[in-house]
Amino acid sequence: MGAGEGSVVWEGCQDVGTGCDNPPHTLLGHSHPVSAHPAVTRATLLLSRCLLKMVKGNIIVPEDILSFCCNGLQGSTSAPRAREPGEQEEAPGAMASAPAAHNPTEVQMSQLVQPCHTNHRGELSTGQLLKWIDTAACLSAERHAGCPCVTASMDDIYFEHTISVGQVVNIKAKVNRAFNSSMEVGVCPCPCPPCCVPVAKSPNPPTIPSFNPMCPSFLAGSGSLMVGCGFLVSRASSQGCCALSQVGIQVSYEDLCSGKHCSICKAYATFVAQGPMGSKVRLEPVIPQTEEEKIEYSIAAERRRMRLVHKDTLKDLLTSSPQETELETRDGSGAVPAERTRVESVELVLPPHANHLGNTFGGQIMAWMENVATIAASRLCHAYPTLRAIEMFHFRGPSQVGDRLVLKAIVNNAFKNSMEVGVSAEAYGQEMSVSRRHINSAFMTFVVLDQQGQPRTLPMVAPEPGDGERRYREASARNKIRLDRKYVVSCKQTEVPLSVPWDHSNKVYLSYNNVSALKMLVANANWALAREKEKVRMYTLEEDKFLSFRIEMSVCIPASRAFSLLSNLRRRHEWDSHYVSAELVQKVDDDDMIYHVVSQKLRNENKPQDFVILASRRKPCSKGDPYVVAFRSVTLPTHPARPEFTRGETLCSGFCIWPESQEMSKVAYYNQAMPGYLTYVTTNVAGLSSDICSTFEACEKFLLKNKEDLISRLQDF
């Protein structure tokens, strides 16, 4: 039968060698092959073509016919197999069951990199990768919300490796946490290609509400929003008509020939769930199952906190730094005028560029922005640059099919081995229109690699007066923040000095690292009970580089009250005999304080120890979360090491307090033992001393004595 009227052209490979014209899949994507008997094959093709014409003609196909077409012809030329005792009959349309995912929102995507996806070097285009990331994370968010979602923000993306033609990009996305008005979706590396499980589409898909960017409550929020996984958003409010959600993203590639797997990038995105006609959506909570999910669930609140204050962090850094320092200390000879790197390009938004809400697909805009940014970077270095990082995408409004997008890029600043390119996107509806809407902006960091794969030294940039100088200074501030984040927010704790320098530019990331490090220590599943003395239980955690201990007990005190008392280090000496004094050096904000602590002399020491400690406290974000008080060492120029003290350090320690009832709480103290007092800890663990248990019993007496103290209650900072 020819490919004329009523014929079906199947998307897929035909077996040319054998002459078999069976389609690779049945009409609804069923993966089982139809019997190779010629009569059955012809009947299947005819029936499939008829059904396809009915579907195209919007003719309702009875469910029993669809079921027969998808399942009834399978094995129709062979006798039915006898079932084993106890074996249940397979339901029509049932497929080989895939391993059950721990997180029901998990979405997996695998893409084979084709030549059409690559640049001139045969490497996967970053714009194409952003489109795939966009799609996977959006689908995960919508799976949890049960309604259309738009992206509220996308955290910084750091690209670790490039991907070549023939390799496979594996993306795994899942919702990490849903707050009252938001949820976080994580995209993680997929170690192997996901199972191909077809999903039947609903015959009556729900009407997708249009996105209203002018909704007052949507524009009244306080957080700048960014491009993430698929959509355009202006600003979001937790009290408006939209609900927010967070998504984390990590991508890996797979080499099919060698079997090698390697991480590419990781990020987290926040999504907004949209109800019908802009109604508010209440998101269901995410229940973490695995230890990894519990950790991501726990620190999602810290990532959210860090995102919300990013803009203020940049502003404070610019305010506190001298305006002329960078320009005066840099030699302007040989510098390239920034104006020479300026790029402007226009794109017409066509239907293939739109998402399923009718707005311009966010991944497409990111790809266009990456394109003009690459051109601007090339004009500075006269070479082919490599994208290393993308600062948060800031979306201020949507665009639709028919809009013209004007994309602008310029090199803001060039550092020794990297450069920052600022990119913006503006939209307008008519060719002669003079009114343009600023819908997006981002900052991208490029490097130029030599033949050995090492970053080359870049020429300096001479900024334009006015806005150019402002962008120049802001780029320097963002570069410092990026370095601080890489230096502070790291899972490789052994590569980070114990006492990290404190200043206003890195305060957000130090606070985030302080709390998240304690939460990760708490979430470890390998704690072992070492001692038990009356109500006090002592646990140990033995790892390659650290010995950690946990001591806990139940106390008759409300959790909020215990949290207030234990978070104030100035009262620590009242129950901990090791503390001599604690001076409040700096009140960073209501939840973060820096103390100078003086402790007793250790054995074999002839002078007392002192510490400069950052204390970060957090209240629960949702039911079941603990109150957290985290400690870590920092360094301050105003409090250097002094000869009369031995400077001590703590990497990770603190309290977690869980409410057991209105009047009972479980109080636990965690400490990652440092070499300076490791002997003291092991002596207590081995039972040769009960000093730690006695100190914790004194803590209980302190809590009981002060739980009704009105003055202490008012000291809740």
Side-chain angles (χ1 to χ4, degrees), residues 601-651:
K601 295 180 183 179
L602 291 176
R603 293 181 181 179
N604 304 322
E605 291 283 347
N606 56 4
K607 52 186 177 181
Q609 279 191 313
D610 74 328
F611 301 81
V612 179
I613 293 178
L614 168 66
S616 303
R617 69 178 210 163
R618 300 289 187 270
K619 294 181 180 180
C621 291
S622 60
K623 186 177 180 180
D625 281 357
Y627 291 83
V628 176
V629 184
F631 308 118
R632 73 157 298 157
S633 292
V634 295
T635 58
L636 284 176
T638 57
H639 287 73
R642 289 160 33 183
E644 62 265 32
F645 296 110
T646 299
R647 177 54 55 93
E649 293 180 311
T650 178
L651 176 62

Side-chain angles (χ1 to χ4, degrees), residues 157-193:
I157 307 176
Y158 295 91
F159 299 97
E160 302 175 20
H161 300 282
T162 56
I163 310 172
S164 302
V165 174
Q167 293 177 333
V168 176
V169 178
N170 293 322
I171 305 173
K172 184 171 67 175
K174 60 182 178 180
V175 177
N176 289 333
R177 184 163 186 167
F179 300 94
N180 289 335
S181 62
S182 68
M183 62 182 170
E184 177 177 282
V185 182
V187 183
C188 306
C190 186
C192 59

Side-chain angles (χ1 to χ4, degrees), residues 679-693:
T679 302
Y680 170 76
V681 173
T682 54
T683 302
N684 281 265
V685 171
L688 301 176
S689 172
S690 298
D691 195 21
I692 294 180
C693 292

Side-chain angles (χ1 to χ4, degrees), residues 72-347:
L73 287 176
Q74 293 184 63
S76 58
T77 61
S78 60
R81 178 181 64 86
R83 294 195 301 271
E84 297 294 334
E87 181 182 358
Q88 296 183 357
E89 182 177 3
E90 187 181 30
M95 295 182 59
S97 59
H102 293 291
N103 192 322
T105 67
E106 184 175 295
V107 171
Q108 297 185 12
M109 174 186 291
S110 290
Q111 296 284 353
L112 180 64
V113 179
Q114 304 285 357
C116 60
H117 301 144
T118 62
N119 56 25
H120 63 283
R121 295 191 296 264
E123 299 169 350
L124 175 64
S125 165
T126 305
Q128 181 62 60
L129 178 59
L130 291 173
K131 293 180 185 179
W132 290 339
I133 290 175
D134 232 21
T135 303
C138 170
L139 294 175
S140 177
E142 293 187 338
R143 179 175 290 186
H144 179 73
C147 61
C149 291
V150 296
T151 308
S153 69
M154 174 75 77
D155 281 9
D156 305 325
I157 307 176
Y158 295 91
F159 299 97
E160 302 175 20
H161 300 282
T162 56
I163 310 172
S164 302
V165 174
Q167 293 177 333
V168 176
V169 178
N170 293 322
I171 305 173
K172 184 171 67 175
K174 60 182 178 180
V175 177
N176 289 333
R177 184 163 186 167
F179 300 94
N180 289 335
S181 62
S182 68
M183 62 182 170
E184 177 177 282
V185 182
V187 183
C188 306
C190 186
C192 59
C195 300
C196 298
V197 180
V199 180
K201 296 183 179 179
S202 170
N204 297 308
T207 302
I208 299 176
S210 59
F211 171 59
N212 181 11
M214 301 308 296
C215 173
S217 57
F218 193 73
L219 295 174
S222 60
S224 298
L225 301 187
M226 295 137 275
V227 177
C229 302
F231 303 94
L232 311 183
V233 187
S234 171
R235 306 182 73 190
S237 170
S238 60
Q239 300 178 358
C241 64
C242 304
L244 298 176
S245 63
Q246 296 178 356
V247 183
I249 302 161
Q250 188 172 350
V251 185
S252 67
Y253 79 79
E254 173 188 2
D255 192 299
L256 297 178
C257 297
S258 64
K260 177 183 177 182
H261 295 263
C262 192
S263 176
I264 299 300
C265 63
K266 184 175 183 179
Y268 297 90
T270 302
F271 282 84
V272 175
Q274 289 188 289
M277 304 301 294
S279 61
K280 187 175 181 180
V281 176
R282 297 288 296 181
L283 299 173
E284 294 294 329
V286 174
I287 308 299
Q289 301 295 330
T290 65
E291 290 302 322
E292 180 184 357
E293 289 176 358
K294 291 177 182 177
I295 293 174
E296 292 289 350
Y297 179 90
S298 181
I299 64 178
E302 281 302 305
R303 283 193 292 265
R304 185 187 187 199
R305 173 190 176 93
M306 185 171 62
R307 281 189 291 267
L308 293 177
V309 299
H310 175 81
K311 187 175 181 180
D312 292 335
T313 302
L314 181 65
K315 182 178 179 181
D316 292 343
L317 183 59
L318 290 172
T319 303
S320 60
S321 61
Q323 293 192 10
E324 303 299 330
T325 301
E326 282 290 334
L327 295 179
E328 291 178 356
T329 56
R330 273 178 162 259
D331 183 8
S333 61
V336 177
E339 183 63 25
R340 291 186 187 177
T341 69
R342 185 180 297 275
V343 179
E344 181 171 325
S345 179
V346 65
E347 298 284 352

Side-chain angles (χ1 to χ4, degrees), residues 555-617:
V555 184
C556 183
I557 185 174
S560 59
R561 189 75 192 103
F563 172 68
S564 173
L565 290 168
L566 295 177
S567 59
N568 189 352
L569 281 183
R570 289 174 294 182
R571 303 196 64 178
R572 179 79 173 255
H573 69 279
E574 296 182 31
W575 59 271
D576 190 347
S577 60
H578 301 89
Y579 272 55
V580 175
S581 64
E583 173 194 5
L584 179 61
V585 174
Q586 182 176 341
K587 182 177 180 180
V588 181
D589 52 40
D590 291 338
D591 293 323
D592 297 275
M593 310 277 182
I594 299 179
Y595 294 89
H596 179 235
V597 175
V598 178
S599 69
Q600 301 284 1
K601 295 180 183 179
L602 291 176
R603 293 181 181 179
N604 304 322
E605 291 283 347
N606 56 4
K607 52 186 177 181
Q609 279 191 313
D610 74 328
F611 301 81
V612 179
I613 293 178
L614 168 66
S616 303
R617 69 178 210 163

